[in-house]
Amino acid sequence: MSIAVIYGSTRENGNTEWLTELAINDLPVEKIYLREYNILPIKDERHTKAGFQEVTDQYNIIIDKVLKHDILIFATPIYWYSMSGTMKLFIDRWSQTLRDKDRPAFREELAKKSAYVIAVGGDKPTIKALPMIQQFQYICDFFNMAFESYIIGKASKPGEIPNDSKAIAAAREMNASLKNKLKLN
Amino acid sequence: MSIAVIYGSTRENGNTEWLTELAINDLPVEKIYLREYNILPIKDERHTKAGFQEVTDQYNIIIDKVLKHDILIFATPIYWYSMSGTMKLFIDRWSQTLRDKDRPAFREELAKKSAYVIAVGGDKPTIKALPMIQQFQYICDFFNMAFESYIIGKASKPGEIPNDSKAIAAAREMNASLKNKLKLN
Amino acid sequence: MSIAVIYGSTRENGNTEWLTELAINDLPVEKIYLREYNILPIKDERHTKAGFQEVTDQYNIIIDKVLKHDILIFATPIYWYSMSGTMKLFIDRWSQTLRDKDRPAFREELAKKSAYVIAVGGDKPTIKALPMIQQFQYICDFFNMAFESYIIGKASKPGEIPNDSKAIAAAREMNASLKNKLKLN
Amino acid sequence: MSIAVIYGSTRENGNTEWLTELAINDLPVEKIYLREYNILPIKDERHTKAGFQEVTDQYNIIIDKVLKHDILIFATPIYWYSMSGTMKLFIDRWSQTLRDKDRPAFREELAKKSAYVIAVGGDKPTIKALPMIQQFQYICDFFNMAFESYIIGKASKPGEIPNDSKAIAAAREMNASLKNKLKLN
């Protein structure tokens, strides 16, 4: 078993990454920084005659990386009470992959995976990020993918997250739980 | 008083637009189709020394159009239980405008406006889009902008929305209410 | 087909009832006013050896009335952002009925029914009652009962609800939709 | 500073109490078991000429105990995705206390307190109890009372909660944080 961490942040070494590091400490992960890829907004062509048209960006590189792993950690800063636009662009494109002849088992493959969310925001995130958590649940439900757990951290300026003892305790517990799941304990 | 309709759809003449047409019938609106503009993802440079860097896209054209109006209607298809990535990109950039020396009154200007949301989705939207509605409320709260009302319609294929009698009744009521607000009755 | 309206209000002729009247106009309904019955809090005895003990109140009278109908309308004022305590007492007791040897098909019977919610509150109810709506969805999901639709009205003092044109439009639409469902159109 | 723990459970020594014990270990608390008191449903008489009538139950005993403390921990099992009916009856009565001439500073007194929630349920509680958490936030907002933090545990049968390592880590962290707040560290 292995883990893909999908980073939605646009900032390097930000609070979300710091918190995520605690959760993935000593674990076999592939880190995917969405900001390093060009991802275009989906064009909804589901119902056109020709269907979705090939898009010339780097989305497929990412989705192929993601699909190699068993556990997906979505690590996103909270922008305007939701995942970052960058991460939303990535997830929106799943609608296209669902109809991609080159990846016919996309839905079934996701159904076998487990999802985790780690999110950090500045404005009362343990309350105001709950709608985002519910949305991740709905996304997982769609694919019948297990949404195992989530951590919401509080920080806005760089370097603030180490003050959130609650999030740190949760990240350490997630780390232990992941090690257990990967039989590394 | 006048209205800006901000369309987040990537499809022309889709269900969201059809439903929105009912709500804005005979009203003075400026229609802004986000898909016609190039909007880049925000780079969070809030806390860098130099602050946000100029971004060479068309975001500022849109925000200047939006700020001319008193009433903002966010009309978005529901992609993965949330606003479209295109609309999220647009809203994420508000963090930059909040620190834009050329638009120092951004927050105060939004505080004077009223917001409405019209959203259409296919998967139990009257339940599964509620987190998105809560997020719009938090966004409005941040700016102290009144979130007047919202309509959630159900449709997935093009042309399905006329079957949603509940959304249609709500759109007609919103139209009457907007006419009243604009003293057009 | 017939309808049971389950009223959670503690006040006679309140705003919730007024709004509900619009939705059930000319329809065959049995009105159940929970306030007219003595309902004791559930004692969680699921896991005791003896199981749930007989409770000497009037709950069973109500549940038997409810089970005779195909459509359930939960009409509740919004107290502290949720259903009234009276209605919560009633629903909490369902856990007991689920284990009641005299009503072995309780779960299956509810699965065949459709649920509607009509709720009225004073403090930004179209936003702040959304968690309650999500809870009703979870309750319906538990029983595999269809949660057809809901209306949230705004009013606090007696007689205020007629000012809520949005809720009135929604109640009229619900009435038409129910007539259609009952083949009364 | 001192703590009131308000238990909404109807079962003795249940999972909610077990988890709460971890959070209040070595702290000065008054434990209030709502099940030991007779609490009648509120009758909404806000708008009657005579106002709320004296109710002959034991609610006032409880509210007087609660008001003596600085920190309120609401410890409730999750019944039907919400607080127990017993706890809802208690909170519903706050509407009456808000108009009680013998407790004219009720609102101001609550504004000075901090609230915590500890809730345990069996059906995907870390997702399905989120609406309840949002409702507690709205309740706290009403009184301008700080909603400091919450823990959601997973358990249904008696004795299951010790398996929830995530909730246990959170309860220990809450204990440390409370000790810090009460200057006991």
Side-chain angles (χ1 to χ4, degrees), chain B residues 112-166:
Chain B
K112 291 181 220 148
K113 301 186 192 305
S114 301
Y116 293 74
V117 169
I118 299 175
V120 177
D123 182 11
K124 285 199 179 180
T126 58
I127 293 298
K128 296 189 180 178
L130 297 185
M132 180 187 70
I133 296 301
Q134 295 174 316
Q135 289 164 338
F136 271 109
Q137 179 66 52
Y138 288 139
I139 293 170
C140 290
D141 286 348
F142 179 91
F143 289 100
N144 210 12
M145 172 165 57
F147 183 15
E148 290 293 346
S149 130
Y150 58 85
I151 302 171
I152 300 170
K154 180 170 167 46
S156 29
K157 290 186 200 158
E160 272 187 7
I161 190 68
N163 301 324
D164 185 347
S165 57
K166 204 161 43 178

Side-chain angles (χ1 to χ4, degrees), chain C residues 92-134:
Chain C
D92 277 3
R93 290 288 295 284
W94 291 7
S95 301
Q96 186 161 1
T97 309
L98 276 168
R99 290 161 188 82
D100 183 345
K101 285 173 192 166
D102 293 342
R103 291 167 189 82
F106 181 56
R107 191 190 276 253
E108 290 70 26
E109 286 180 65
L110 282 187
K112 289 181 221 150
K113 301 188 192 303
S114 301
Y116 293 74
V117 168
I118 298 174
V120 177
D123 183 11
K124 283 199 180 180
T126 58
I127 294 296
K128 295 189 180 177
L130 297 185
M132 179 187 71
I133 296 301
Q134 294 175 316

Side-chain angles (χ1 to χ4, degrees), chain C residues 44-99:
Chain C
D44 183 357
E45 300 166 319
R46 274 179 297 168
H47 308 290
T48 57
K49 228 179 182 171
F52 280 105
Q53 297 306 297
E54 193 70 22
V55 180
T56 54
D57 65 359
Q58 299 177 296
Y59 166 79
N60 280 334
I61 299 171
I62 311 171
I63 200 68
D64 288 339
K65 281 178 192 284
V66 165
L67 289 175
K68 284 185 301 181
H69 299 282
D70 311 285
I71 290 168
L72 311 184
I73 300 179
F74 297 89
T76 183
I78 302 165
Y79 291 169
W80 296 105
Y81 314 105
S82 182
M83 66 179 84
S84 69
T86 302
M87 186 163 277
K88 188 63 175 28
L89 286 181
F90 172 64
I91 288 182
D92 277 3
R93 290 288 295 284
W94 291 7
S95 301
Q96 186 161 1
T97 309
L98 276 168
R99 290 161 188 82

Side-chain angles (χ1 to χ4, degrees), chain A residues 7-12 14 16-17 34-35 75-77 79 84 86:
Chain A
Y7 287 102
S9 180
T10 61
R11 201 162 74 187
E12 280 181 50
T16 310
E17 281 186 56
L34 297 179
R35 64 175 174 266
T76 183
Y79 291 169
S84 70
T86 301

Side-chain angles (χ1 to χ4, degrees), chain B residues 1-3 27 70-72 112-116 146-149 174-185:
Chain B
M1 290 185 94
S2 64
I3 299 173
L27 289 171
D70 311 285
I71 291 169
L72 311 184
K112 291 181 220 148
K113 301 186 192 305
S114 301
Y116 293 74
F147 183 15
E148 290 293 346
S149 130
M174 186 183 279
N175 185 251
S177 160
L178 283 168
K179 280 179 177 158
N180 207 36
K181 195 162 184 159
L182 276 75
K183 311 267 186 275
L184 296 173
N185 271 344

